[in-house]
Amino acid sequence: FSISYDDDAFKAISVIKEVINKNGLILKDPAPFVSEEAQSSSSVDIVVRAWCSTGNYWDVYYALIKDVHQAFNDNNITIPYPQLDVHTK
């Protein structure tokens, strides 16, 4: 997941962990992993590794995308878009 540089990465990580904890298809062991992964040109990128049974993979995958997006909206965390500033003389 990517967030704006103007947002708090620690808060975003906490929000993602809350979403994971609410999903009953995600296994507790091994424990889910959520961490800041990179500072890209337009965003701070957060990696998520959450395990589930093979048969639930796609359900979990799409649920996380939808639920994290909604949780980011609810918590005023911005999903950025690529941006380029051009200066002319």
Side-chain angles (χ1 to χ4, degrees), residues 38-79:
Q39 289 125 14
S40 299
S41 60
S42 298
S43 64
V44 175
D45 300 329
I46 299 171
V47 63
V48 175
R49 289 190 172 78
W51 288 262
C52 65
S53 66
T54 304
N56 292 329
Y57 177 82
W58 290 113
D59 292 334
V60 168
Y61 179 86
Y62 289 113
L64 280 179
I65 291 172
K66 177 184 69 72
D67 295 344
V68 168
H69 187 185
Q70 183 61 55
F72 279 3
N73 286 341
D74 293 345
N75 287 276
N76 298 314
I77 297 170
T78 308
I79 298 171

Side-chain angles (χ1 to χ4, degrees), residues 1-4 7-24 26-28 31-37 44-51 60-61 63-80:
F1 296 96
S2 297
I3 64 168
S4 169
D7 291 316
D8 181 347
F10 296 108
K11 179 180 178 182
I13 289 169
S14 177
V15 166
I16 293 169
K17 287 180 178 179
E18 288 175 21
V19 169
I20 288 170
N21 288 335
K22 291 178 183 176
N23 187 313
I26 294 175
L27 301 175
K28 303 295 183 212
F33 174 82
V34 183
S35 180
E36 186 174 325
E37 181 178 45
V44 175
D45 300 329
I46 299 171
V47 63
V48 175
R49 289 190 172 78
W51 288 262
V60 168
Y61 179 86
L64 280 179
I65 291 172
K66 177 184 69 72
D67 295 344
V68 168
H69 187 185
Q70 183 61 55
F72 279 3
N73 286 341
D74 293 345
N75 287 276
N76 298 314
I77 297 170
T78 308
I79 298 171

